[in-house]
Amino acid sequence: MPATASITQTPESQTAVRHDWKRSEIEALFALPFNDLLFQAAAIHRANFDPNAVQVSTLLSIKTGACPEDCKYCSQSGHYNTELEKEKLLEVARVVEEAKAARDKGASRFCMGAAWRSPRDRDMPFVLDMIRQVKGLGMETCMTLGMLDQGQAEALADAGLDYYNHNLDTSPEYYGKVITTRTYNDRLSTLANVRDAGMKVCCGGIVGMGEQRDDRVGLLQQLANLPHHPESVPINMLVKIEGTPLADVADLDPFEFVRTVAVARILMPESYVRLSAGRQEMNDEAQALCFMAGANSIFYGERLLTTDNPEANHDQQLFKRLGIHPLDPRHEASDEAHEEAIKAQVAEQEAEDAGLFYNAMGKRSAKHVLDKDTGRPAAAEH
């Protein structure tokens, strides 16, 4: 029997949070038979989350193009000719309008991204106003604005920003082959500033950039051994953009992508693992395997900054086929309320399946769904 077969999870270890993962341990997880790996990841997922609830986010580019960084995967880098139309910082009213539309389509978190090396002082008042107004809609807020110093992080936190996204992208060893205009330590410093300011961290990486499995191991080790695990861990599949240096890199095996999701779930049992960029290229079967492997967050809508994403209606159909419901963590509720809400959802679904009502908007009516861990129900707009 191969040595990798001994990698097992006891009931106690399914809820344990570690920050001391050895590289050899992570390599052994990746080397497990596919079914064994998914079984372990699914068990850990179920020990920490409702396995059929998925957190839904929408991402809007609030300032597009002309970024001074040279990230070799990015259509927004000013170093490459990707024929991307440059846009200035969006008006606050436009951002709020987009957030309302996202909320009405089922998103509980609204993420705003700007193609900056770091925010400029003249732009900060507008950014802070965006946060306050989107928070006023009852949504969680997330931003990715590049590197932050301590003062900028504190200003964002004071405005009410819930999450800050700043990805590590890849392993420290492979990083220099992808980006040269900022260092790995620059990224780690920003993450520390975000934590110190009291915000939650959204941090993951991109796979399929020509890296080897060792680099995927290295990325996940960096994330899992941070002093606090990121609350959200986006796992991106490279979207190959014509005009960037990575436009012709070989495709990553879809099963290797699923393995990466599963290992992330095992290493960071209490984090939301998000399917991010690249879902447009995934078929429904691959996405279903990712959900089984422990992914419980997605970006929802037609665009991810500047690249395509599965259309919202298709995501709704996929959720229905898989028996998945969107998660909204905003409200408190008791266990009894959770049980009653589930009963109401089942009764409503049975009525819909029996054809007892018709929704002229072509969407399901609101689902009173709660997360079994937080006991918080979904809002009516879902």
Side-chain angles (χ1 to χ4, degrees):
M1 181 177 292
T4 55
S6 64
I7 302 296
T8 59
Q9 294 287 335
T10 64
E12 294 77 15
S13 65
Q14 289 179 4
T15 57
V17 175
R18 293 176 50 190
H19 304 273
D20 59 351
W21 286 94
K22 298 177 181 177
R23 197 176 190 93
S24 60
E25 293 178 294
I26 303 173
E27 290 170 347
L29 288 171
F30 266 100
L32 282 170
F34 187 75
N35 287 344
D36 291 350
L37 176 60
L38 260 61
F39 180 82
Q40 289 192 31
I44 289 174
H45 188 197
R46 286 174 176 272
N48 292 279
F49 292 96
D50 177 347
N52 297 309
V54 173
Q55 189 275 325
V56 178
S57 300
T58 293
L59 177 61
L60 175 69
S61 178
I62 61 174
K63 186 271 177 185
T64 302
C67 180
E69 306 288 4
D70 69 350
C71 308
K72 292 180 173 57
Y73 53 79
C74 188
S75 62
Q76 302 201 65
S77 173
H79 294 256
Y80 317 121
N81 180 19
T82 62
E83 299 184 358
L84 180 70
E85 185 176 347
K86 302 173 185 177
E87 296 179 0
K88 296 181 179 179
L89 184 66
L90 294 182
E91 296 180 354
V92 175
R94 168 75 183 282
V95 173
V96 174
E97 179 183 340
E98 294 284 349
K100 288 179 180 178
R103 181 192 63 181
D104 293 342
K105 289 184 178 180
S108 59
R109 184 181 304 165
F110 193 67
C111 304
M112 295 159 273
W116 290 327
R117 177 176 173 81
S118 59
R120 297 173 296 186
D121 289 344
R122 69 185 186 189
D123 293 318
M124 283 295 287
F126 302 101
V127 168
L128 300 178
D129 196 21
M130 290 175 190
I131 296 168
R132 297 186 188 101
Q133 293 207 38
V134 174
K135 287 278 287 185
L137 300 176
M139 303 183 77
E140 289 185 325
T141 54
C142 179
M143 281 191 162
T144 178
L145 311 172
M147 294 184 292
L148 297 179
D149 61 30
Q150 185 175 0
Q152 291 169 328
E154 290 174 352
L156 294 172
D158 289 343
L161 187 65
D162 297 295
Y163 287 81
Y164 193 80
N165 166 260
H166 199 65
N167 290 335
L168 293 180
D169 284 353
T170 187
S171 68
E173 295 79 11
Y174 196 69
Y175 183 84
K177 297 180 180 179
V178 180
I179 303 156
T180 66
T181 50
R182 74 173 76 168
T183 69
Y184 215 78
N185 282 336
D186 287 336
R187 292 180 181 267
L188 293 173
S189 294
T190 290
L191 294 178
N193 290 334
V194 170
R195 277 290 181 211
D196 290 345
M199 288 181 288
K200 296 176 182 178
V201 169
C202 176
C203 183
I206 306 171
V207 298
M209 296 191 293
E211 81 284 349
Q212 301 301 309
R213 177 178 284 184
D214 282 350
D215 297 304
R216 293 185 281 279
V217 169
L219 167 65
L220 294 182
Q221 183 185 34
Q222 288 289 319
L223 294 170
N225 287 349
L226 288 170
H228 300 279
H229 290 168
E231 283 79 5
S232 288
V233 181
I235 305 295
N236 297 273
M237 177 80 85
L238 175 70
V239 177
K240 291 180 274 190
I241 306 295
E242 187 175 351
T244 64
L246 297 182
D248 298 320
V249 70
D251 290 340
L252 183 70
D253 180 357
F255 290 120
E256 184 70 9
F257 183 86
V258 179
R259 283 183 181 275
T260 306
V261 170
V263 175
R265 167 53 63 217
I266 293 170
L267 301 185
M268 293 167 280
E270 296 180 352
S271 301
Y272 283 87
V273 177
R274 177 181 298 148
L275 296 185
S276 296
R279 281 205 305 130
Q280 182 72 21
E281 286 72 35
M282 295 181 200
N283 59 30
D284 290 350
E285 293 79 6
Q287 293 187 59
L289 284 173
C290 288
F291 292 132
M292 180 177 290
N296 61 342
S297 179
I298 65 166
F299 273 125
Y300 185 81
E302 298 174 5
R303 303 285 294 173
L304 290 183
L305 291 180
T306 62
T307 60
D308 290 336
N309 197 44
E311 294 184 359
N313 287 341
H314 181 81
D315 285 336
Q316 291 173 348
Q317 294 166 8
L318 179 59
F319 273 28
K320 183 174 181 179
R321 291 168 63 197
L322 298 178
I324 287 174
H325 54 257
L327 170 67
D328 186 335
R330 289 178 290 173
H331 305 286
E332 298 292 341
S334 65
D335 290 341
E336 291 78 9
H338 172 77
E339 183 176 355
E340 290 302 316
I342 293 298
K343 291 179 180 178
Q345 178 185 334
V346 171
E348 186 177 350
Q349 183 60 56
E350 289 175 347
E352 181 177 354
D353 292 342
L356 298 182
F357 64 85
Y358 172 69
N359 186 341
M361 295 301 292
K363 300 191 295 184
R364 286 189 182 185
S365 296
K367 302 298 185 187
H368 305 287
V369 178
L370 293 87
D371 173 19
K372 73 172 185 179
D373 296 316
T374 64
R376 296 170 177 171
E381 56 266 17
H382 277 179

